[in-house]
């Protein structure tokens, strides 16, 4: 089949349907299921199944861990069976803990994504039904309308004023008009007007097409096999990557120096190497990927409870750093329940003829559903039984109008409805309520005044025009001329009652709201005043058109309302705001919002949005309400804060302990801890940190946007790492000079002290407040208590000799407790001083 349909643009639709063993009525469901098994899912890059084995292997994919496993294997080869087995066991347990956390997290995210899969309308079992786009198969007959994504490479069977955005594939900036027909086999891709390509989307019009190629066999699929398809890096991912590089540099420097010095001191090379590698593991926040995954999954679950679905988990973190939110007004800032308020002629007289023709237009239009047409149909049920629809020129964002050709007996009438300016330009006369006709030039000034007055009152205005077309059975855009202007329709869509309070809450969170709309400037300003953002500067699409990017960059920060903007201008506004140093969110649900959604740091849409908007967004709201974003922003900041807690814990306690051990190894005649003891320390101190995702976050941490700042993390690591080292060396001094500890006693005492201090410091670092003013979560407290109990129990356990420990006198434990208490107290003071000086 595939070979026969390679150049399907040169095959008649009837013949192609036969080749694909289908018909214009589509496939039967059982046949479609069989083809899905044969051809596979209709995706460019098959989703990597989150198998337990894949996630498990990833836990051991660290170069340092692999080197350590190799070194332990050498140790086994040299008959040091006990130590090598313990090291391998600790590494295995550490990896299993990370696996358990990460697998649960990725599985939870996958289940949430299933809620917002994009669907496509197809004909199956001789009726229209919606199926997941990934389940489209060759032979499916696809129904297309404005806003839908093209799910496969298709040949058009029926078409009406169909325009498709193909810029992603061909680079063509403007929508391409499509038509049914035959083309020569050598026709270049960009000129195949009878073909639709996967990855493109319908700008306007309607059509029916048969799917020919799916998945990797599509033109987009062939490109994807040559290019790496990867989503752009988020702000959070960039910060995480920079942090990883920084830790890598510190670890590498320390490991090389320690290994070189220990070798110089004539210590066994294998022991020195294992010690250096164990230090590297201790310095490396091995659980960071798992902690990030768990935090993101926890955030995604919390947001799902608030009817917010996260398609890309890392975008949750972008909520935390977002400081500008751009939004359309309809349905988000306003009620979204549009009401028809008036139908008047050019002289502001009530005109039932305006309502009747608008009702005809709205009743017969077949484009995408919109609240304007619903409001007209709901206002009053009119008798149009004698009328029949003959043809339609669908709405598009260039003409900004919709025309319907209807018949009643031998009478043919074209009715146009749309933007006032765009309807006026196709009219040559205006008809008043009493049937009098006047020149359009005589009516224009009055119409524009009515438009301005209505806009200032917050009313949206559309115009209606008509023309008799005797004997006409079809229409094109060319028939939209010499029409008679009938009058205006005004609609109300008031601001939501609580939206002003929501805007204030956003402002308190450090997020500035900007209205970006194609609506009239007066309407936009009116809504702006209602919701409490004032004018704050107004910029119209006409003004933006005259600006270069540099001028727009200097203007966008001062403007809160962008009105009468075109689709490409929305993207320019977003890019200018980003270039000015902002983290920008954009909320949209229309055909003309896709490019802006892609351009934004956080693209937000709704489940009822058109396919192209829903596909472009990273966050999908199950309920169209700005208020739910408040919860999303707080969840993002909480997730970001909990991730940073782990970073601060790992870089302070780990760095301090490892630095102390590295330094002590230079003047002690023995290693301060054996490699297996270092790895056990690292494993136990990681356990409480796995409960971070459940921890509470102080209100002041979520009160403003925050980003990764490596300088702050470095300063934190130095301050708290050095503080930890001071008390470590104090411990060394007590053990050697006052308690006269043996080699085994030193290691046992140091092991117990380092674990208890590193575990308790988690409770200090997790909050900017004092320990008495911020309570940790129950799970974090339980994990902390359990690890301390294990650390104190091991020197008295049956495995003490295997691990190289021996029981300590109670008096010694009292001395260590005093040191730990002093350390925690000093850490509290240091924390207060640090955050007083570092405003972050």
């Amino acid at each position: 089949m595939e070979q026969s349909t390679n150049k399907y643009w040169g095959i008649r639709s009837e013949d192609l349907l036969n080749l694909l063993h289908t018909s214009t009525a589509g496939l039967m469901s059982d046949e479609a299921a069989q083809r899905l098994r044969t051809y596979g899912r209709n995706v460019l890059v098959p989703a990597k199944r989150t198998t337990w084995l894949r996630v498990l292997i990833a836990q051991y994919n660290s170069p340092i861990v692999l080197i350590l496993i190799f070194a332990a294997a050498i140790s086994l080869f040299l008959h040091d069976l006990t130590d090598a087995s313990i090291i391998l066991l600790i590494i295995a347990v550490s990896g299993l803990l990370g696996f358990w956390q990460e697998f649960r997290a990725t599985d939870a995210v996958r289940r949430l994504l299933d809620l917002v899969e994009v669907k496509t309308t197809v004909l199956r079992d001789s009726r229209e039904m919606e199926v997941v786009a990934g389940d489209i198969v060759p032979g499916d007959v696809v129904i297309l309308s404005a806003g839908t994504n093209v799910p496969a490479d298709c040949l058009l069977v029926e078409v009406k004023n169909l325009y498709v955005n193909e810029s992603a594939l061909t680079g063509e900036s403007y929508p391409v008009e499509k038509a049914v027909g035959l083309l020569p086999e050598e026709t270049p891709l960009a000129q195949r007007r009878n073909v639709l390509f996967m990855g493109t989307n319908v700008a306007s019009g309607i059509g029916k097409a048969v799917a020919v190629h799916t998945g990797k066999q599509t033109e987009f699929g062939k490109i994807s096999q040559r290019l790496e398809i990867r989503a752009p890096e988020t702000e959070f991912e960039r910060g995480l990557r920079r942090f990883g590089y920084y830790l890598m540099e510190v670890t590498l420097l320390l490991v090389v120096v320690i290994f070189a010095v220990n070798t110089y001191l004539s210590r066994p090379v294998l022991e020195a190497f294992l010690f250096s590698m164990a230090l590297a593991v201790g310095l490396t926040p091995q659980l960071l990927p798992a902690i990030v995954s768990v935090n993101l999954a926890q955030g995604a679950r919390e947001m799902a409870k608030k009817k917010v679905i996260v398609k890309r988990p890392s975008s949750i973190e972008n909520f935390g750093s977002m400081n500008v939110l751009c939004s359309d007004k309809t349905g988000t800032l306003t009620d979204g329940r549009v009401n028809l308020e008036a139908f008047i002629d050019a002289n502001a007289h009530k005109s039932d003829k305006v309502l009747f023709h608008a009702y005809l237009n709205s009743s017969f239009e077949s484009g995408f559903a919109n609240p304007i047409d619903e409001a007209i149909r709901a206002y009053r049920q009119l008798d149009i039984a004698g009328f029949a629809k003959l043809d339609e020129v669908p709405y598009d964002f260039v003409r900004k109008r919709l025309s319907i050709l209807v018949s009643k007996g031998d009478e043919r009438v074209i009715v146009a409805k749309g933007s006032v300016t765009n309807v006026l330009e196709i009219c040559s006369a205006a008809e008043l309520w009493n049937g009098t006709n006047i020149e359009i030039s005589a009516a224009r000034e009055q119409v524009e005044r009515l438009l301005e007055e209505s806009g200032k009152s917050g009313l949206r205005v559309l115009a209606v025009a008509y023309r008799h077309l005797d004997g006409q059975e079809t229409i094109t855009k060319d028939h939209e001329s010499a029409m008679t202007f009938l009058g205006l329709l005004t609609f109300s869509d008031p601001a939501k009652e609580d939206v002003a309070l929501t805007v204030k809450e956003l402002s308190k969170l450090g997020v500035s709201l900007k209205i970006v709309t194609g609506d009239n400037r007066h309407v936009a300003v009116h809504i702006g005043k209602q919701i409490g953002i004032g004018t704050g500067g107004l910029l119209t699409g006409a003004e933006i058109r005259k600006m270069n990017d540099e001028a727009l960059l200097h203007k966008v920060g001062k403007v809160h309302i962008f009105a009468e903007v075109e689709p490409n201008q929305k993207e320019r506004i977003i890019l200018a705001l980003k270039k000015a140093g902002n983290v920008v969110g954009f909320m949209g649900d229309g055909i003309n919002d896709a490019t802006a959604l892609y351009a934004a740091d956080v693209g937000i849409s709704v489940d009822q949005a058109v396919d192209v908007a829903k596909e472009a967004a990273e966050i999908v709201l199950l309920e169209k309400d700005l208020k739910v974003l408040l919860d999303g922003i707080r969840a993002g900041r909480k997730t970001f804060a909990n991730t940073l807690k782990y970073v601060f814990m790992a870089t302070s306690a780990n760095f301090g302990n490892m630095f102390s051990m590295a330094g002590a190894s230079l003047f002690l005649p023995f290693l301060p801890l054996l490699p297996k003891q270092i790895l056990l320390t690292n494993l136990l101190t990681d356990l409480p940190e796995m409960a971070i995702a459940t921890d509470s976050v102080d209100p002041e941490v979520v009160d403003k946007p925050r980003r990764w700042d490596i300088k702050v993390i470095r300063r934190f690591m130095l301050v708290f790492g050095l503080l930890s080292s001071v008390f470590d060396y104090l411990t060394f001094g007590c053990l050697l000079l006052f308690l006269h500890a043996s080699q085994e006693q030193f290691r046992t005492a140091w092991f117990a002290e380092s674990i208890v201090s590193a575990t308790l410091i988690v409770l200090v670092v997790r909050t900017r407040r004092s320990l008495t003013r911020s309570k940790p979560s129950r799970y974090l407290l339980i994990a902390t208590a359990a690890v301390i109990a294990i650390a104190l129990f091991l020197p008295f356990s049956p495995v003490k000799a295997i691990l190289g420990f021996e029981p300590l006198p109670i008096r010694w434990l009292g001395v260590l407790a005093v040191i730990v208490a002093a350390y925690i107290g000093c850490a509290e003071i240091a924390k207060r001083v640090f955050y007083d000086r570092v405003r972050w």
Side-chain angles (χ1 to χ4, degrees):
M1 183 188 296
E2 181 187 324
Q3 185 64 36
S4 303
T5 58
N6 270 349
K7 297 183 178 180
Y8 56 96
W9 53 90
I11 303 174
R12 290 191 319 130
S13 59
E14 297 87 349
D15 296 335
L16 183 65
L17 290 168
N18 289 332
L19 282 171
L20 293 169
H21 304 294
T22 187
S23 70
T24 53
L27 298 169
M28 300 301 289
S29 293
D30 56 350
E31 174 61 22
Q34 176 60 44
R35 294 190 186 195
L36 186 61
R37 290 190 290 271
T38 302
Y39 294 101
R41 296 209 75 221
N42 177 35
V43 290
L44 297 181
V45 181
K48 293 181 179 178
R49 289 193 56 81
T50 312
T51 62
W52 65 268
L53 184 60
R54 188 188 299 275
V55 178
L56 181 62
I57 291 172
Q59 306 307 310
Y60 304 101
N61 206 21
S62 161
I64 293 173
V65 172
L66 292 175
I67 291 172
L68 203 56
I69 293 172
F70 177 71
I74 294 176
S75 188
L76 275 173
F77 180 74
L78 297 175
H79 306 294
D80 190 356
L81 179 63
T82 303
D83 280 7
S85 299
I86 291 172
I87 290 171
L88 291 174
L89 179 62
I90 292 171
I91 292 171
V93 171
S94 178
L96 286 171
L97 287 172
F99 156 76
W100 177 69
Q101 289 273 53
E102 195 163 349
F103 184 72
R104 285 177 64 240
T106 51
D107 190 53
V109 170
R110 179 187 57 77
R111 288 197 298 270
L112 290 175
L113 287 178
D114 290 342
L115 297 176
V116 290
E117 283 188 301
V118 172
K119 295 185 177 180
T120 299
T121 302
V122 298
L123 289 175
R124 284 193 184 167
D125 303 325
S126 300
R127 62 185 178 87
E128 289 188 12
M129 65 171 63
E130 284 193 334
V131 300
V132 174
D135 292 341
I136 298 295
V137 295
D140 261 325
V141 174
V142 182
I143 307 299
L144 301 152
S145 60
T148 56
N149 285 329
V150 178
D153 284 2
C154 309
L155 181 74
L156 283 164
V157 178
E158 295 178 17
V159 65
K160 181 62 183 177
N161 298 110
L162 188 67
Y163 284 79
V164 177
N165 289 315
E166 294 185 341
S167 57
L169 189 64
T170 66
E172 175 60 54
S173 301
Y174 296 99
V176 176
E177 186 174 13
K178 295 293 184 175
V180 174
L182 282 173
L183 290 172
E185 291 186 354
E186 62 274 9
T187 303
L189 183 144
Q191 295 175 21
R192 296 171 194 167
R193 296 290 187 256
N194 62 342
V195 167
L196 302 177
F197 300 105
M198 181 186 196
T200 62
N201 58 82
V202 179
S204 63
I206 53 177
K208 185 186 292 185
V210 58
V212 183
H213 295 146
T214 58
K216 290 186 178 181
Q217 301 305 314
T218 63
E219 295 297 335
F220 238 115
K222 294 170 186 174
I223 294 172
S224 72
Q225 293 178 62
R226 299 193 297 269
L227 301 174
E228 180 184 4
I229 296 179
R230 186 179 179 181
E233 195 175 39
T234 66
E235 175 77 16
F236 173 74
E237 289 167 333
R238 281 193 294 273
L240 205 61
R241 177 171 48 80
R242 288 196 295 266
F243 172 66
Y245 287 152
Y246 173 67
L247 271 188
M248 191 186 303
E249 292 168 5
V250 173
T251 303
L252 185 62
L253 177 64
L254 191 61
V255 166
V256 170
V257 170
I258 296 304
F259 177 68
V261 171
N262 275 278
T263 304
Y264 176 75
L265 294 175
S266 301
R267 288 172 182 161
V269 174
L270 181 60
E271 188 178 80
F273 180 71
L274 280 171
F275 178 74
S276 300
M277 287 297 105
L279 282 180
V281 172
L283 269 173
T284 305
Q286 284 177 283
L287 282 182
L288 185 58
I291 294 293
V292 169
S293 296
V294 170
N295 278 332
L296 292 178
Q298 179 73 11
R301 282 195 295 266
E302 288 299 315
M303 291 173 72
K305 292 176 185 176
K306 304 292 185 181
K307 300 184 179 180
V308 181
I309 304 300
V310 182
K311 289 173 59 182
R312 186 181 177 191
S314 58
S315 64
I316 294 177
E317 305 283 3
N318 277 355
F319 265 120
S321 52
M322 181 177 71
N323 67 309
V324 174
L325 175 62
C326 298
S327 174
D328 195 0
K329 62 177 192 61
T330 305
T332 306
L333 306 179
T334 64
D335 278 329
R337 294 191 298 270
V338 179
N339 297 310
L340 177 61
E341 296 294 333
F343 31 95
I344 55 177
D345 70 2
N347 284 335
H349 289 287
K350 181 180 178 181
S351 172
D352 288 331
K353 192 170 184 179
V354 173
L355 175 62
F356 182 80
H357 282 76
Y359 190 87
L360 275 175
N361 183 285
S362 297
S363 298
F364 288 123
E365 69 93 15
S366 58
F368 54 94
N370 65 87
I372 294 289
D373 287 318
E374 289 172 7
I376 293 170
R377 293 192 294 265
Y379 182 81
R380 185 191 302 164
Q381 189 167 353
L382 302 179
D383 183 13
I384 57 171
F387 288 87
K389 176 183 175 180
L390 296 177
D391 204 1
E392 175 180 1
V393 182
Y395 181 91
D396 64 57
F397 292 97
V398 178
R399 292 164 42 252
K400 295 185 179 179
R401 55 182 178 259
L402 165 72
S403 294
I404 300 286
L405 178 65
V406 295
S407 66
K408 185 177 184 182
D410 294 331
E411 186 182 12
R412 304 288 187 271
V413 180
I414 177 174
V415 182
K417 177 179 93 274
S419 157
V420 176
T421 303
N422 293 62
V423 170
L424 279 173
E425 71 183 18
I426 59 172
C427 293
S428 57
E431 183 177 320
L432 303 181
W433 68 279
N434 57 8
T436 304
N437 277 19
I438 60 174
E439 289 291 326
I440 193 64
S441 56
R444 187 179 295 274
E445 184 176 339
Q446 172 70 358
V447 168
E448 290 175 350
R449 185 178 63 80
L450 289 171
L451 177 62
E452 183 174 342
E453 289 175 357
S454 298
K456 287 179 178 178
S457 300
L459 297 174
R460 186 172 178 179
V461 185
L462 293 183
V464 181
Y466 79 108
R467 175 187 172 191
H468 289 281
L469 292 173
D470 294 335
Q472 197 71 34
E473 297 295 324
T474 60
I475 54 172
T476 66
K477 296 174 186 178
D478 294 334
H479 291 99
E480 295 178 327
S481 61
M483 299 188 77
T484 299
F485 183 87
L486 272 177
L488 304 174
L489 303 163
T490 61
F491 302 87
S492 64
D493 185 15
K496 291 180 178 177
E497 289 183 9
D498 58 351
V499 76
L501 182 61
T502 304
V503 172
K504 284 183 181 178
E505 289 295 317
L506 283 170
S507 182
K508 287 179 184 177
L509 290 173
V511 180
S512 171
L513 178 68
K514 296 181 185 291
I515 297 176
V516 182
T517 179
D519 278 355
N520 178 281
R521 72 188 75 182
H522 303 297
V523 177
V525 169
H526 180 82
I527 292 294
K529 288 178 179 177
Q530 280 189 313
I531 67 174
I533 66 173
T535 56
L538 168 71
L539 204 58
T540 65
E543 292 168 328
I544 293 173
R545 203 177 302 120
K546 297 174 184 176
M547 291 181 175
N548 59 29
D549 290 341
E550 194 67 29
L552 185 60
L553 175 65
H554 287 91
K555 191 78 174 174
V556 286
K558 305 170 187 175
V559 176
H560 287 91
I561 299 174
F562 300 86
E564 301 170 11
V565 296
E566 299 167 5
N568 66 311
Q569 291 174 335
K570 292 184 180 182
E571 182 184 13
R572 284 189 66 197
I573 292 166
I574 299 298
L575 293 175
L577 285 166
K578 288 175 66 176
K579 196 172 181 181
N582 300 291
V583 178
V584 185
F586 179 80
M587 188 168 178
D589 61 359
I591 305 166
N592 57 342
D593 293 326
T595 54
L597 286 165
Y598 275 119
D601 292 297
V602 185
I604 308 159
S605 193
V606 293
D607 195 36
Q608 299 79 26
V610 296
D611 290 350
V612 65
K614 190 173 168 182
E615 183 72 22
E618 294 166 312
I619 306 288
V620 178
L621 309 183
L622 298 182
E623 185 176 298
K624 193 172 184 180
D625 189 348
L626 195 65
K627 189 161 55 177
V628 299
L629 290 184
L630 287 171
D631 298 314
I633 291 168
R634 291 190 184 102
R637 292 182 184 175
K638 180 180 177 181
T639 306
F640 184 63
N642 279 337
T643 303
L644 280 180
K645 285 179 188 179
Y646 177 78
V647 170
F648 282 160
M649 293 166 192
T651 54
S652 56
N654 287 14
F655 177 76
N657 286 342
M658 297 307 120
F659 182 76
S660 299
M661 272 189 278
S665 70
L666 302 181
F667 63 81
L668 288 175
F670 56 86
L671 291 176
L673 282 182
L674 297 173
K676 60 187 175 186
Q677 294 168 342
I678 296 174
L679 293 175
L680 185 58
T681 301
N682 188 52
L683 173 64
L684 290 176
T685 53
D686 270 343
L687 288 175
E689 293 159 1
M690 294 180 72
I692 288 299
T694 67
D695 195 25
S696 58
V697 174
D698 299 329
E700 59 268 23
V701 176
V702 298
D703 64 356
K704 66 178 182 180
R706 286 180 172 84
R707 304 191 197 184
W708 280 93
D709 191 329
I710 298 300
K711 291 180 180 178
V712 172
I713 294 173
R714 187 187 298 124
R715 287 177 65 181
F716 192 96
M717 184 172 79
L718 290 173
V719 169
F720 287 86
L722 291 175
L723 179 65
S724 174
S725 288
V726 167
F727 283 89
D728 289 341
Y729 284 112
L730 179 61
T731 304
F732 296 162
C734 286
L735 291 172
L736 295 173
L737 302 177
F738 296 106
L739 301 176
H740 306 292
S742 66
Q743 180 174 299
E744 286 73 21
Q745 288 176 324
F746 180 95
R747 287 171 177 162
T748 304
W750 167 229
F751 171 83
E753 191 276 341
S754 63
I755 286 184
V756 172
S757 63
T759 304
L760 288 178
I761 200 67
V762 168
L763 303 181
V764 175
V765 172
R766 60 166 289 277
T767 176
R768 299 185 180 202
R769 300 180 175 187
S770 67
L771 282 171
T772 57
R773 291 183 57 230
S774 179
K775 294 182 180 179
S777 70
R778 183 161 56 97
Y779 295 109
L780 183 57
L781 275 177
I782 292 171
T784 300
V787 168
I788 292 174
I790 291 170
L792 297 177
F793 169 73
L794 281 175
F796 302 92
S797 70
V799 296
K800 59 181 182 294
I802 297 174
L803 295 173
F805 297 141
E806 67 175 56
L808 296 175
I810 299 299
R811 182 171 63 90
W812 285 35
L813 294 177
V815 172
L816 295 178
V818 171
I819 293 173
V820 170
Y823 169 51
I824 298 302
C826 290
E828 277 287 324
I829 296 170
K831 178 177 68 175
R832 193 178 311 150
V833 173
F834 180 84
Y835 284 117
D836 283 343
R837 294 186 178 182
V838 178
R839 297 295 178 184
W840 184 47

